[in-house]
Amino acid sequence: ETGVTQSPTHLIKTRGQQVTLRCSSQSGHNTVSWYQQALGQGPQFIFQYYREEENGRGNFPPRFSGLQFPNYSSELNVNALELDDSALYLCASRLGGLGTGELFFGEGSRLTVL
Amino acid sequence: AQKVTQAQTEISVVEKEDVTLDCVYETRDTTYYLFWYKQPPSGELVFLIRRNSFDEQNEISGRYSWNFQKSTSSFNFTITASQVVDSAVYFCALSDRSNTGNQFYFGTGTSLTVIP
């Protein structure tokens, strides 16, 4: 196990609702990234937080937002849910915001939007 | 632009056979990093290996080996004497310095089934 924990593991929402996903990084890791993995696809980068600041963002609309807390845990918030937001949301942590070291992933939160 | 291609969508092998998973990447950066991850049904991506662009030595770890060839932009992964526990989806990923946040670019994955 990587030490990265995510909650909830599964959830179902309806279109237009809002959702918050949570992630606790591995001990000592100050960088958290979020990825979206649609069924049968590879993970797609949403954004990354380093020392409570967003320092990278992928091609996702502003309704995808996040936070990182002083203990380096993180939240992913998605507003105005759409059907295409149904996916596995993966959180990953590592040490160092600008490095290219390996990412350590949690087991993900599987979101279904009806 | 960065891109990772895993042309093999699904592979099935019989236990104890060797299997090679292909990965081809694209980047304009001269410094980059390549990764392989394993994703079992639980969903967690398990880190297998990291290789930087300046180190073309092949690597072996138990039944796993990796062949990195810059000339063909490939980073292939071989499992020797496959076992049922190797059944999973395997992802190749690229990270370079030309993007903010050092995001990882993943391929679409290869689903490996090892038949007992």
Side-chain angles (χ1 to χ4, degrees), chain B residues 16-114:
Chain B
K16 297 184 182 178
E17 287 185 344
D18 299 347
V19 59
T20 295
L21 309 182
D22 298 332
C23 173
V24 174
Y25 62 91
E26 296 176 28
T27 176
R28 293 180 180 177
D29 206 339
T30 56
T31 301
Y32 53 89
Y33 300 82
L34 297 164
F35 304 80
W36 275 95
Y37 281 84
K38 174 182 180 180
Q39 188 175 43
S42 63
E44 179 180 336
L45 284 163
V46 178
F47 167 75
L48 297 177
I49 190 171
R50 170 179 180 263
R51 172 68 70 207
N52 73 58
S53 53
F54 298 108
D55 181 3
E56 287 194 70
Q57 284 190 350
N58 292 330
E59 181 158 338
I60 299 174
S61 176
R63 296 185 297 106
Y64 295 170
S65 63
W66 291 269
N67 183 357
F68 176 32
Q69 292 194 348
K70 288 178 73 172
S71 61
T72 55
S73 296
S74 65
F75 186 43
N76 296 337
F77 172 31
T78 297
I79 302 175
T80 302
S82 59
Q83 300 177 1
V84 173
V85 294
D86 296 328
S87 296
V89 181
Y90 290 86
F91 290 95
C92 180
L94 163 74
S95 180
D96 61 25
R97 297 178 304 178
S98 64
N99 64 90
T100 58
N102 300 110
Q103 65 172 285
F104 279 33
Y105 297 89
F106 285 86
T108 52
T110 297
S111 178
L112 174 65
T113 301
V114 181

Side-chain angles (χ1 to χ4, degrees), chain A residues 9-104:
Chain A
T9 54
H10 295 81
L11 68 167
I12 300 173
K13 294 286 188 177
T14 56
R15 195 170 48 181
Q17 286 188 313
Q18 177 265 344
V19 68
T20 297
L21 308 179
R22 295 177 175 83
C23 172
S24 292
S25 61
Q26 184 175 100
S27 177
H29 285 184
N30 55 13
T31 302
V32 173
S33 303
W34 287 90
Y35 285 78
Q36 180 196 65
Q37 186 179 14
L39 197 62
Q41 300 296 315
Q44 299 290 317
F45 178 68
I46 303 175
F47 45 58
Q48 176 173 282
Y49 279 83
Y50 171 60
R51 291 185 176 178
E52 303 177 58
E53 297 285 334
E54 183 182 296
N55 77 334
R57 189 176 184 93
N59 189 25
F60 280 81
R63 60 188 185 85
F64 285 78
S65 63
L67 283 173
Q68 187 179 31
F69 300 99
N71 66 354
Y72 303 134
S73 65
S74 177
E75 286 184 355
L76 165 64
N77 299 290
V78 187
N79 294 322
L81 284 167
E82 301 177 359
L83 297 180
D84 285 348
D85 295 334
S86 295
L88 179 67
Y89 288 86
L90 293 162
C91 171
S93 73
R94 68 178 171 198
L95 183 61
L98 299 178
T100 49
E102 57 267 30
L103 293 172
F104 295 90

